[in-house]
Amino acid sequence: MFKELKLGNIAEGVSNVKQYLDLFGYLNSTLHSNFSDEFTLDLQSAIIKYQKNFNLKVTGQIDRKTYNIISQQRCGVPDIINGTTTMNMGNSNTTPFTPWWKAGKKVLSYAVHPQNNVSDSVKVLFREAFDRWSKVTLVNFTETASFNESDVRITFLELDGKGGTVGGADRNYSLGVGSVYLDSEEEWVVRGENEEGDVDLESVVMHMIGHLLGLGHSSVEEAVMYPIVLPEKKTELSYDDMQRIHQIYHVK
Ligand SMILES: [Zn+2]
């Protein structure tokens, strides 16, 4: 039985919600662990931001709909980074982005960690995902065998077990390297129908490449850049994704 929680309540599990909101940039807390089970004012303001970002009714409470979204699998990249968000609660449509790759480079190489030993069908999947983004950015990608010298490095590794975070992306400006992390403990689906709890690899890969190319999260559920993993496959760029990538690359 789900019970709504609001300011002043003390209940088991509130600390987990705080942990989640802290992880994804909503809680302005200096504390990053050992959260209490008390529904505090800063939790309330974090919940309000979260509800705005996910087009939920703004109640400031942990209600059922809010909790449903919190409990779904999602991208590990925060929604709010250093106080900035590209989701609803932000008021800027522009995404300032400086490429992390060496200036002037028009072709970026990518490789999957050799120990991950991915199948040919997974390689094709990556190829197609990169190609889809190339069309709207004119940044080209080519597969390489030398992982340690590649511009984009993709690794399957244990993150937080099945569920929770499915992966993340990181742009390292000093090394000039973009990284994609995928949780090896998810039930990844390469081709075919997803069963409950499965994660569609191509949809997540599309999302992570979007991060490498400069996009943050979107509040639009149909967008590739929506942070929550939905059961439906989502590999084609939505109107929202196209609008936002256009603001960075201006490809006609
Ligand atoms: Zn993401």
Side-chain angles (χ1 to χ4, degrees):
M1 184 68 196
F2 182 85
K3 194 173 166 294
E4 286 193 358
L5 294 168
K6 59 178 189 294
L7 188 63
N9 288 162
I10 297 174
E12 203 185 324
V14 170
S15 57
N16 295 336
V17 174
K18 286 183 183 171
Q19 189 88 59
Y20 173 97
L21 291 167
D22 181 55
L23 195 58
F24 299 112
Y26 290 91
L27 203 61
N28 295 323
S29 167
T30 45
L31 195 78
H32 292 294
S33 57
N34 297 320
F35 291 107
S36 74
D37 275 331
E38 186 188 350
F39 199 123
T40 47
L41 254 183
D42 57 348
L43 174 59
Q44 187 182 49
S45 71
I47 291 279
I48 289 172
K49 291 183 213 168
Y50 190 83
Q51 289 171 333
K52 285 182 183 166
N53 274 352
F54 287 92
N55 296 318
L56 293 159
K57 193 175 163 200
V58 178
T59 62
Q61 302 179 6
I62 306 175
D63 50 42
R64 183 185 295 275
K65 282 188 173 165
T66 306
Y67 189 74
N68 278 349
I69 296 196
I70 288 176
S71 51
Q72 288 174 56
Q73 288 162 298
R74 60 160 289 155
C75 170
V77 174
D79 300 333
I80 305 171
I81 301 169
N82 301 325
T84 308
T85 174
T86 51
M87 295 180 74
N88 281 346
M89 60 155 286
N91 41 25
S92 160
N93 284 322
T94 53
T95 321
F97 174 67
T98 316
W100 44 266
W101 54 88
K102 288 191 190 77
K105 225 176 195 185
K106 281 287 174 200
V107 181
L108 303 181
S109 59
Y110 70 90
V112 183
H113 197 288
Q115 283 179 5
N116 291 146
N117 230 334
V118 294
S119 66
D120 286 345
S121 51
V122 169
K123 287 183 184 168
V124 170
L125 181 153
F126 282 120
R127 167 82 275 143
E128 290 175 355
F130 279 113
D131 284 350
R132 238 173 261 132
W133 281 109
S134 291
K135 286 191 188 115
V136 293
T137 57
L138 302 186
V139 176
N140 291 308
F141 297 91
T142 181
E143 193 186 346
T144 172
S146 48
F147 180 82
N148 291 326
E149 284 157 39
S150 56
D151 300 309
V152 176
R153 301 175 193 179
I154 304 160
T155 313
F156 286 88
L157 76 173
E158 287 180 22
L159 289 177
D160 61 354
K162 186 170 155 56
T165 301
V166 299
D170 180 55
R171 310 188 289 242
N172 188 314
Y173 284 81
S174 53
L175 295 176
V177 169
S179 301
V180 172
Y181 304 102
L182 299 164
D183 192 341
S184 56
E185 307 209 5
E186 301 301 339
E187 297 287 340
W188 293 105
V189 172
V190 177
R191 288 276 185 260
E193 293 301 305
N194 295 8
E195 286 177 33
E196 204 183 323
D198 290 354
V199 185
D200 183 66
L201 181 61
E202 195 170 6
S203 307
V204 173
V205 168
M206 279 298 289
H207 180 98
M208 297 308 169
I209 300 172
H211 279 312
L212 294 182
L213 289 167
L215 293 185
H217 285 149
S218 167
S219 296
V220 177
E221 214 178 296
E222 296 72 36
V224 161
M225 295 315 293
Y226 187 67
I228 307 291
V229 176
L230 299 176
E232 310 85 61
K233 198 173 166 70
K234 215 164 33 175
T235 55
E236 296 300 328
L237 298 175
S238 70
Y239 179 74
D240 178 71
D241 297 310
M242 300 283 266
Q243 286 278 304
R244 297 197 306 134
I245 201 73
H246 183 75
Q247 284 170 5
I248 302 176
Y249 295 91
H250 311 288
V251 175
K252 292 212 172 67

